[in-house]
Amino acid sequence: TQLLEQSPQFLSIQEGENLTVYCNSSSVFSSLQWYRQEPGEGPVLLVTVVTGGEVKKLKRLTFQFGDARKDSSLHITAAQPGDTGLYLCAGSDLLGSARQLTFGSGTQLTVLP
Amino acid sequence: EAGVAQSPRYKIIEKRQSVAFWCNPISGHATLYWYQQILGQGPKLLIQFQNNGVVDDSQLPKDRFSAERLKGVDSTLKIQPAKLEDSAVYLCASSSSSTPVGQYFGPGTRLTVT
């Protein structure tokens, strides 16, 4: 069974601060995705990283995929209250002809104004 | 483009009762997933369909849970009989065959078993 561990589990910061969330596994994934989930809603895809060492930027969010494709990080610069939510990483692999995701336990981020 | 639709949004039942959830995926998406998300945890895959066939149901508690996608479009997940530990949000997601693949989630059904 492939497992993804996220840290920290909870994070509460002030508006304007920077933060990094980590996602680690002992397994290699063909790609890794980051989702953000708000209360009462389903997760929304933020980014997919495919290549080991890949870095993707989405405005104030920077995503990195580890060289060995076993870990990833999400860095947020100058966090805003609107960034509050549950951040989930998910490793993707092929099961037959269909892709399957294994989710981490999530990081609950609260950005205080 | 319409998103993934789920109903009901909320359901409260007593233990040992039955409940059913419905999902209509994004039009044209061949793959449909049902996840269980317990409070404070990430989603756990229950069952994955490719068109109307089951790809993976290894984590589905088959003694009480069942799911079908008869015409390869919408799907129903049923729990019979429900237990207290089934209280969770049940998420439906769909995806297409293009890569890299992201899954599109519905808003979920929050089930409370009392």
Side-chain angles (χ1 to χ4, degrees):
Chain A
T1 303
Q2 296 176 315
L3 293 175
L4 279 166
E5 294 184 356
Q6 287 189 241
S7 62
Q9 187 176 358
F10 299 96
L11 188 56
S12 182
I13 61 171
Q14 293 293 135
E15 181 176 2
E17 292 183 348
N18 301 331
L19 67 112
T20 302
V21 174
Y22 300 93
C23 174
N24 295 290
S25 174
S26 58
S27 302
V28 175
F29 291 99
S30 60
S31 65
L32 195 136
Q33 299 172 356
W34 284 92
Y35 290 79
R36 185 165 77 104
Q37 185 177 21
E38 297 190 30
E41 300 295 331
V44 175
L45 179 66
L46 297 174
V47 77
T48 299
V49 284
V50 180
T51 306
E54 182 177 3
V55 177
K56 280 192 175 179
K57 291 191 175 184
L58 186 66
K59 297 184 180 179
R60 295 176 293 101
L61 278 60
T62 302
F63 304 86
Q64 185 163 6
F65 201 13
D67 291 340
R69 306 207 319 275
K70 292 183 179 181
D71 56 88
S72 181
S73 64
L74 158 61
H75 182 80
I76 301 179
T77 304
Q80 299 176 0
D83 296 328
T84 294
L86 179 66
Y87 287 82
L88 295 159
C89 66
S92 175
D93 224 331
L94 279 173
L95 181 69
S97 60
R99 288 193 175 274
Q100 192 170 94
L101 290 181
T102 301
F103 279 87
S105 55
T107 293
Q108 181 62 53
L109 171 65
T110 302
V111 182
L112 303 169
Chain B
E1 178 182 74
V4 176
Q6 289 188 249
S7 67
R9 291 296 309 273
Y10 306 92
K11 191 74 176 179
I12 301 174
I13 61 172
E14 295 181 351
K15 59 183 179 184
R16 291 186 289 273
Q17 286 187 324
S18 302
V19 66
F21 312 126
W22 175 82
C23 172
N24 191 26
I26 292 174
S27 177
H29 280 194
T31 310
L32 185 148
Y33 312 80
W34 282 103
Y35 290 89
Q36 180 193 58
Q37 186 175 24
I38 293 173
L39 186 64
Q41 299 181 17
K44 183 186 85 169
L45 180 69
L46 292 175
I47 189 167
Q48 178 177 346
F49 291 95
Q50 183 79 7
N51 296 308
N52 61 351
V54 175
V55 173
D56 182 13
D57 63 356
S58 58
Q59 298 192 80
L60 187 73
K62 298 180 185 65
D63 58 333
R64 298 183 301 106
F65 287 63
S66 64
E68 59 183 16
R69 193 185 184 199
L70 293 176
K71 296 183 178 179
V73 181
D74 56 353
S75 175
T76 303
L77 176 69
K78 297 180 181 178
I79 306 175
Q80 180 180 7
K83 293 185 176 182
L84 296 177
E85 58 260 37
D86 298 332
S87 294
V89 175
Y90 290 85
L91 295 163
C92 178
S94 68
S95 67
S96 67
S97 58
S98 61
T99 60
V101 175
Q103 294 184 13
Y104 297 86
F105 285 81
T109 297
R110 179 175 295 277
L111 174 68
T112 302
V113 182
T114 62

